Amino acid sequence: MSLEFEICSSLIASLLCSDCRGFSFWVVEIKMALCSSTSLELKNPFIEGTKGKIATSKSFLRVGYVAKKEKSCCCNGRKVAVSSHLMPGHLEGSFMGKKRLEEPSQKMDFVRTLLIDNYDSYTYNIYQELSVVNGVPPVVIRNDEWTWEDACHYLYEKRAFDNIVISPGPGSPTCPADIGICLRLLLECRDIPILGVCLGHQALGYVNGARIVHASEPVHGRLSEIEHNGSRLFDNIPSGRKSGFKVVRYHSLIIDSEALPKELIPTAWTSSSTHSFLESPNSGLNPDACKNQIRPSKSFDTFSTGSHNGASWSFSHPGRMQGGKVLMGIMHSTRPHYGLQFHPESIATCHGRQIFENFREITEDYWQRLRPRSTFINERNVHYTGKDYQLIFLSSESTLYYLSIKLFLACMQVHVASQLFRVPRIGSLVHKEDAQPFKEAFRRSQVLGNASVNCLSISSALKFPESSINVRHLKLKWRKFDKLAARVGGARNIFNELFGACKAENTFWLDSSSIEKKRARFSFMGGKDGPLWRQMTFRLSDQSDVDFKGGGYLSIKDTQGSTKSMFLEKGFLDFLNQELLSFTYDEEDFEELPFDFHGGYIGYFGYSLKVECGMLSNRHKSTTPDACFFFADNFVVIDHLNDNVYILSLHEENTTSIPWLDDMENKLLCLEASATRKLGEQASPTATVSPYKAGFLGEKSREQYIKDVSKCLEYIKDGESYELCLTSQMRKTVGEIDSLGLYLHLREKNPAPYAAWLNFSNEDLCICCSSPERFLRLDRNGILEAKPIKGTIARGVTLEEDEELKLKLQYRNDLGRVCEPGSVHVPHLMEVESYATVHTMVSTIRGKKRSNVSAVDCVRAAFPGGSMTGAPKLRSMELLDSLESSSRGIYSGSIGFFSYNQTFDLNIVIRTIVIHDGEASIGAGGAIVALSNPEDEYDEMLLKTRAPASAVIEFQ
């Protein structure tokens, strides 16, 4: 597939995925499948009798570029060769100033943005905002994904974009490995509106001669009040202290305002003071919080009829900033280029959307004033009657982008999912696919120094094995028993009596053992029962210091005990996706059920599966399987809210009788509540002890962990990351321990809403999980929900101390992000939830899943959970791999279910005891931020191990 074909597919797919009211396409009957200059017959079905001939655009005259003498710069201690045309001061020779202005324009129905992703976790927050503001989603490319020739082709020959937005990102604009193509875009594209955010802002300064320096202190996730000079970018936005214009800042580097070159004008600034979210009740969470504020009466940057290099502006002289202020915004004096040091896309930045709306208006006015005569076709209509029509997207000079409906529908899902969810792009950049991994490996090796960095080779000829289940259409039968759970002893007794025999081999229990405040409602439990039961065990292929080829080995064991093995060249997530997409079902089978798991896969993903979600390598190999799942066809569900019990059986369509349902009903009705201790008779939680007193050995000493925290702080200071979730492992030999008994003891000591018991007997692997954190859920209505934890602190000894600690915790903050443009919202931001031993700070993020992505696509987009990695996610994981001394294994991964109808619910694996080959391991860690104290971080890490470690020593 050509790059041209991919971009037009993306633009069309973006339009079809958005609210298409007011937008339309032309329909053309293509006389030839491929034609570069053939005249085509055009029909507009919405205008009677409209007919004419349109020819494709002329070929693009490619302009050569000769690199000058190379210089070198130092990026965090590493030297990198840099061509001098990318250094400040070399602004001569740009050929782009006149090129775009030769073409007339007019007011646009929508604005097409090229969004450059600098490998940042917040890029798709900007994507969501631009999708709403522009009327069409932007096209996202990473900063090293296109060559300069690619950029010229789409910006100047195809004229596919009206403006450019450069995202935040880790590192410094002085290092080419961090900024990629962005410097050259800022240097050469003087006639295209560009907005740089954070790293993009610094790049705008740097390319025009400004100095990039360390801020007096790193500022991450803090609010600042902004004062501005009335620049067009700040239209209808108040200014100054107590005006209501507060923004969120995430940065360690700044532009030196004392040595600002004459080409750059300061537009916004702030004092060095910052605020927490508690100090800002009108922080942007309430849409009406920013209304009725005092705003400047006019903007000073207006279009001039004159022209300098094709784009000129006239100003009242803004002067220079006063001392003691931190530069928060700049603009170029003769180009439509703007920069913002803060994050307008943050949920807590007041007037953030207004800034993007202003940039859209700047773009529209720019092209309208400088290109008064239009060659754009404004009416873009779509007409589809079910036939195999060809869709044509028309841009300037009537350039024709065409796409078969059938091929488009197939490509749209693959391309948009890969673009939206930042996974390795397979087959999309065919002419560069072999070189891309090596470019990324070179960039990342500069960051990690001597740490081994492996490349993921991308193959365009990968094949799926056949599904492990021979049936495709599944039927569900179920029965409900009202108010039964309490009468038979509750969830604990039900599991013990129904599935606890023979050491509870090959059993699962997704256990909502803490249901206070409606944190969770349902528990799911089962074992090796039905004819469709399977166990899937996946291990990533061996890795070396030289290369990681991807994929891994899958073994599937069925209920009769037979096993088959295969190599999954495309990895486990693609295989699981294929499995889920192969099922068909009748919605009426489960439409009356109040829960979303109706049968399917229950198990876990290990942390190392991050290599299937954007990371290129794992430095350490896990001793446990990287993914392990049961296919559950017979299981029991407990509704803790209503005390109801359900039994469900999933079967092939032609199955006539289901004896399991009759058998399970008889067992439930015969249970006696006195057989085991009732939930109300559980022992009170005992005092927790240090894991070292419990006999656990840490893989790192206190001194080494503190040293690693200090390294994290240096990375943060240098702008490599905003936050790093450093972890460690505690281990203890336990021999032949009663694993189920240990789990039951743990759930009493530390009940949690997303707890779990998994026993993969064939792997000698038991997982006792008491997690309070949801990773991601997708319900039957297509709503995605994440509940990241960002902060943990011990419970106080007294009620007074308890309250003080809860308030103190709320000063630590971070934000998360997921899903579809315009639908993402945060109903609960940084609320404190209290558990048996700790307080945690939790946010709830919800959004509507795109219709053209699958359940597995959603997981691939977000895994591993950001609360266990840091931000920006990819760079943070690279740095953490270089600091941590062993694989995290199952810890930091996810446990949960994938229903056959593509709903899922997954937790974050924390507060968990993993028992494997006679050894118990407990992982723990904490998020390192700019304000972290190394000694305190070590204490927090130990705090998180105390409940599970105490459970082990008390149970033995």
Side-chain angles (χ1 to χ4, degrees):
M1 186 187 300
S2 70
L3 198 59
E4 293 93 338
F5 191 78
E6 181 185 7
I7 289 298
C8 76
S9 302
S10 175
L11 291 173
I12 297 173
S14 297
L15 283 171
L16 288 183
C17 291
S18 65
D19 185 349
C20 290
R21 288 172 296 178
F23 305 118
S24 51
F25 289 86
W26 293 86
V27 178
V28 178
E29 294 180 357
I30 302 299
K31 301 301 183 183
M32 300 177 63
L34 294 174
C35 50
S36 59
S37 60
T38 304
S39 295
L40 302 175
E41 182 175 308
L42 178 139
K43 298 179 181 178
N44 184 344
F46 298 91
I47 301 178
E48 192 71 27
T50 302
K51 193 171 183 178
K53 302 288 183 178
I54 295 182
T56 58
S57 62
K58 299 176 182 178
S59 61
F60 175 60
L61 179 61
R62 196 172 295 277
V63 180
Y65 193 92
V66 179
K68 301 178 182 179
K69 183 179 179 181
E70 291 186 342
K71 298 183 180 180
S72 65
C73 68
C74 185
C75 306
N76 301 315
R78 54 194 188 276
K79 292 184 177 180
V80 184
V82 187
S83 296
S84 62
H85 67 266
L86 294 179
M87 300 294 289
H90 295 272
L91 303 180
E92 298 79 22
S94 171
F95 65 88
M96 296 301 171
K98 299 178 181 179
K99 185 75 178 176
R100 284 288 295 244
L101 300 180
E102 294 173 355
E103 299 303 322
S105 182
Q106 68 176 33
K107 206 78 169 179
M108 294 169 274
D109 290 332
F110 52 86
V111 171
R112 304 162 301 169
T113 294
L114 175 64
L115 177 55
I116 310 296
D117 176 18
N118 286 304
Y119 289 85
D120 194 72
S121 294
Y122 302 138
T123 297
Y124 283 93
N125 288 346
I126 297 176
Y127 173 94
Q128 293 164 7
E129 289 296 310
L130 292 175
S131 299
V132 173
V133 169
N134 287 351
V136 62
V139 171
V140 185
I141 65 163
R142 284 177 169 167
N143 63 20
D144 56 359
E145 190 171 342
W146 280 2
T147 65
W148 176 241
E149 288 73 20
D150 292 333
C152 290
H153 180 72
Y154 292 105
L155 287 168
Y156 290 99
E157 178 188 2
K158 298 300 183 184
R159 296 172 179 86
F161 304 103
D162 305 306
N163 63 26
I164 301 170
V165 174
I166 300 175
S167 84
S172 166
T174 64
C175 182
D178 294 336
I179 199 65
I181 199 173
C182 298
L183 292 184
R184 193 154 185 193
L185 289 171
L186 288 163
L187 178 72
E188 301 284 1
C189 299
R190 61 181 61 189
D191 59 336
I192 298 177
I194 300 178
L195 174 63
V197 178
C198 203
L199 182 64
H201 158 88
Q202 296 166 13
L204 173 59
Y206 177 68
V207 82
N208 286 287
R211 294 176 59 235
I212 308 300
V213 298
H214 283 99
S216 57
E217 64 173 348
V219 179
H220 296 140
R222 302 282 289 180
L223 287 165
S224 291
E225 293 177 316
I226 296 296
E227 181 180 358
H228 61 78
N229 62 356
S231 162
R232 180 77 183 280
L233 196 62
F234 298 104
D235 263 0
N236 298 312
I237 296 175
S239 175
R241 256 188 103 189
K242 298 183 179 180
S243 67
F245 186 20
K246 289 185 178 180
V247 304
V248 176
R249 297 164 58 188
Y250 282 96
H251 63 97
S252 301
L253 306 176
I254 59 173
I255 294 175
D256 184 2
S257 61
E258 300 301 319
L260 206 61
K262 60 181 176 58
E263 289 86 1
L264 299 176
I265 299 172
T267 60
W269 47 89
T270 187
S271 65
S272 57
S273 63
T274 59
H275 311 276
S276 76
F277 287 93
L278 283 181
E279 298 172 293
S280 180
N282 291 342
S283 58
L285 298 178
N286 181 351
D288 298 321
C290 301
K291 294 182 178 179
N292 303 319
Q293 303 286 350
I294 299 174
R295 296 178 173 84
S297 59
K298 63 180 180 179
S299 302
F300 72 82
D301 50 324
T302 55
F303 288 101
S304 168
T305 55
S307 174
H308 174 65
N309 290 329
S312 181
W313 308 72
S314 62
F315 310 98
S316 303
H317 194 278
R320 285 291 179 256
M321 287 170 22
Q322 299 177 355
K325 298 291 182 69
V326 181
L327 188 62
M328 288 287 108
I330 59 174
M331 64 180 296
H332 198 279
S333 61
T334 61
R335 303 180 185 180
H337 293 179
Y338 293 79
L340 296 173
Q341 181 61 78
F342 58 88
H343 284 238
E345 78 282 1
S346 171
I347 188 174
T349 292
C350 206
H351 304 288
R353 180 167 294 181
Q354 182 65 54
I355 291 174
F356 288 118
E357 289 175 351
N358 290 342
F359 185 58
R360 170 184 171 139
E361 291 180 1
I362 287 170
T363 300
E364 290 176 332
D365 289 350
Y366 178 79
W367 294 119
Q368 184 181 31
R369 289 175 181 268
L370 297 181
R371 301 193 337 184
R373 295 182 307 276
S374 174
T375 58
F376 279 81
I377 298 178
N378 292 320
E379 293 182 343
R380 301 169 185 180
N381 301 315
V382 64
H383 180 62
Y384 177 56
T385 63
K387 300 178 181 178
D388 190 16
Y389 280 114
Q390 304 286 339
L391 284 182
I392 306 301
F393 185 85
L394 303 180
S395 70
S396 60
E397 291 191 327
S398 303
T399 302
L400 297 181
Y401 294 91
Y402 53 96
L403 195 60
S404 164
I405 286 286
K406 291 180 179 178
L407 184 57
F408 160 69
L409 292 175
C411 294
M412 179 179 68
Q413 181 171 357
V414 175
H415 174 72
V416 174
S418 67
Q419 193 175 72
L420 175 62
F421 296 126
R422 304 176 52 147
V423 298
R425 301 160 61 88
I426 307 234
S428 57
L429 300 177
V430 177
H431 60 295
K432 296 197 295 295
E433 67 180 13
D434 293 329
Q436 184 70 17
F438 295 96
K439 289 197 298 180
E440 294 190 14
F442 170 73
R443 178 182 68 81
R444 297 173 183 190
S445 66
Q446 293 175 320
V447 175
L448 301 179
N450 295 326
S452 62
V453 180
N454 303 313
C455 296
L456 174 63
S457 298
I458 300 176
S459 171
S460 58
L462 304 177
K463 295 182 179 180
F464 284 113
E466 292 184 1
S467 170
S468 66
I469 296 179
N470 293 324
V471 298
R472 288 294 178 270
H473 190 82
L474 298 179
K475 296 292 294 180
L476 178 67
K477 298 291 185 181
W478 55 273
R479 298 174 188 174
K480 176 185 176 184
F481 304 93
D482 292 330
K483 308 297 181 181
L484 178 64
R487 300 202 309 267
V488 296
R492 173 189 174 120
N493 195 33
I494 292 173
F495 185 84
N496 261 332
E497 293 298 310
L498 299 183
F499 307 107
C502 301
K503 299 181 180 180
E505 293 181 352
N506 299 311
T507 58
F508 64 85
W509 182 5
L510 302 184
D511 179 17
S512 297
S513 57
S514 174
I515 59 174
E516 293 85 0
K517 299 181 181 179
K518 299 181 180 180
R519 289 169 181 154
R521 177 178 171 183
F522 302 102
S523 291
F524 306 89
M525 58 182 68
K528 183 180 177 180
D529 280 317
L532 300 182
W533 181 94
R534 300 286 190 276
Q535 179 182 323
M536 301 194 308
T537 305
F538 177 77
R539 287 180 170 86
L540 289 163
S541 61
D542 291 335
Q543 303 172 51
S544 68
D545 293 339
V546 178
D547 187 27
F548 172 57
K549 297 183 181 300
Y553 300 90
L554 177 72
S555 66
I556 301 174
K557 185 172 184 178
D558 64 22
T559 190
Q560 285 80 33
S562 62
T563 302
K564 66 177 181 178
S565 300
M566 63 189 75
F567 181 76
L568 301 180
E569 204 167 359
K570 295 185 71 173
F572 181 75
L573 290 178
D574 279 1
F575 178 79
L576 179 61
N577 191 48
Q578 184 82 352
E579 289 278 286
L580 293 171
L581 291 174
S582 70
F583 298 134
T584 60
Y585 50 86
D586 300 315
E587 291 188 7
E588 58 266 24
D589 286 357
F590 51 77
E591 61 186 1
E592 296 182 15
L593 293 172
F595 43 84
D596 287 317
F597 179 66
H598 310 123
Y601 292 104
I602 284 183
Y604 74 85
F605 300 123
Y607 178 73
S608 293
L609 219 65
K610 66 183 187 289
V611 294
E612 295 191 13
C613 304
M615 274 290 288
L616 290 180
S617 65
N618 286 310
R619 189 182 185 191
H620 310 288
K621 186 171 180 61
S622 175
T623 57
T624 54
D626 296 296
C628 215
F629 280 83
F630 297 121
F631 186 89
D633 51 356
N634 295 332
F635 56 100
V636 176
V637 182
I638 300 174
D639 181 349
H640 297 286
L641 178 64
N642 297 316
D643 204 33
N644 299 329
V645 177
Y646 298 80
I647 56 176
L648 298 91
S649 183
L650 195 62
H651 57 280
E652 298 181 46
E653 186 175 18
N654 56 358
T655 301
T656 56
S657 64
I658 308 173
W660 182 87
L661 288 175
D662 297 330
D663 182 55
M664 188 55 58
E665 179 175 350
N666 292 332
K667 288 181 178 180
L668 278 171
L669 297 179
C670 290
L671 283 180
E672 294 183 6
S674 60
T676 58
R677 185 160 36 91
K678 296 181 181 180
L679 293 178
E681 300 171 355
Q682 293 175 0
S684 300
T686 56
T688 58
V689 299
S690 164
Y692 295 116
K693 292 183 179 180
F696 281 83
L697 297 177
E699 65 182 8
K700 288 185 178 181
S701 65
R702 180 179 187 274
E703 292 73 19
Q704 184 59 52
Y705 192 86
I706 289 175
K707 182 179 179 181
D708 289 343
V709 173
S710 298
K711 289 181 181 178
C712 290
L713 291 174
E714 287 298 315
Y715 285 129
I716 291 170
K717 179 181 178 182
D718 290 338
E720 296 291 345
S721 178
Y722 310 137
E723 173 188 77
L724 290 164
C725 185
L726 183 68
T727 73
S728 187
Q729 297 268 343
M730 304 281 182
R731 305 181 190 277
K732 175 182 171 65
T733 300
V734 294
E736 292 291 330
I737 192 173
D738 177 6
S739 300
L740 178 58
L742 173 61
Y743 173 67
L744 295 176
H745 184 64
L746 175 66
R747 77 188 293 270
E748 287 184 6
K749 288 183 60 64
N750 196 43
Y754 309 109
W757 155 266
L758 294 172
N759 185 356
F760 298 99
S761 307
N762 298 325
E763 306 299 327
D764 194 14
L765 173 63
C766 291
I767 303 170
C768 306
C769 176
S770 60
S771 174
E773 182 171 5
R774 167 174 281 152
F775 165 47
L776 198 62
R777 176 181 71 175
L778 175 65
D779 66 21
R780 70 182 73 178
N781 298 315
I783 301 299
L784 282 163
E785 178 184 271
K787 296 192 69 172
I789 289 178
K790 301 306 296 180
T792 301
I793 199 166
R795 291 292 296 259
V797 177
T798 66
L799 291 176
E800 292 77 12
E801 181 184 1
D802 209 24
E803 285 302 311
E804 289 179 5
L805 291 173
K806 288 172 67 175
L807 291 175
K808 179 181 177 182
L809 177 62
Q810 295 185 38
Y811 281 83
R812 304 182 62 183
N813 55 79
D814 193 16
L815 297 175
R817 60 114 183 147
V818 284
C819 58
E820 180 179 307
S823 71
V824 176
H825 60 288
V826 182
H828 306 290
L829 177 66
M830 296 181 298
E831 292 186 342
V832 174
E833 293 185 356
S834 299
Y835 295 90
T837 58
V838 296
H839 297 298
T840 59
M841 185 170 62
V842 182
S843 296
T844 301
I845 303 107
R846 293 190 186 122
K848 178 72 173 178
K849 182 185 77 70
R850 287 177 175 269
S851 60
N852 61 332
V853 296
S854 69
V856 174
D857 289 331
C858 297
V859 174
R860 194 197 300 268
F863 186 83
S867 61
M868 302 306 297
T869 59
K873 182 182 283 189
L874 292 182
R875 179 72 62 90
S876 295
M877 287 192 290
E878 292 162 358
L879 297 173
L880 292 168
D881 264 10
S882 73
L883 292 173
E884 296 177 354
S885 56
S886 67
S887 170
R888 296 188 185 184
I890 298 169
Y891 169 66
S892 296
S894 291
I895 293 172
F897 68 75
F898 285 86
S899 184
Y900 69 92
N901 59 335
Q902 297 232 10
T903 61
F904 67 83
D905 199 353
L906 299 168
N907 75 0
I908 298 285
V909 181
I910 53 177
R911 320 290 198 274
T912 296
I913 307 166
V914 176
I915 302 173
H916 184 233
D917 292 339
E919 180 183 68
S921 63
I922 301 171
I928 313 302
V929 296
L931 300 178
S932 292
N933 176 278
E935 289 79 11
D936 292 344
E937 291 298 332
Y938 179 76
D939 292 339
E940 180 180 326
M941 184 271 292
L942 285 184
L943 166 68
K944 294 172 180 176
T945 67
R946 286 181 178 175
S950 297
V952 173
I953 193 172
E954 291 167 6
F955 186 74
Q956 278 188 310

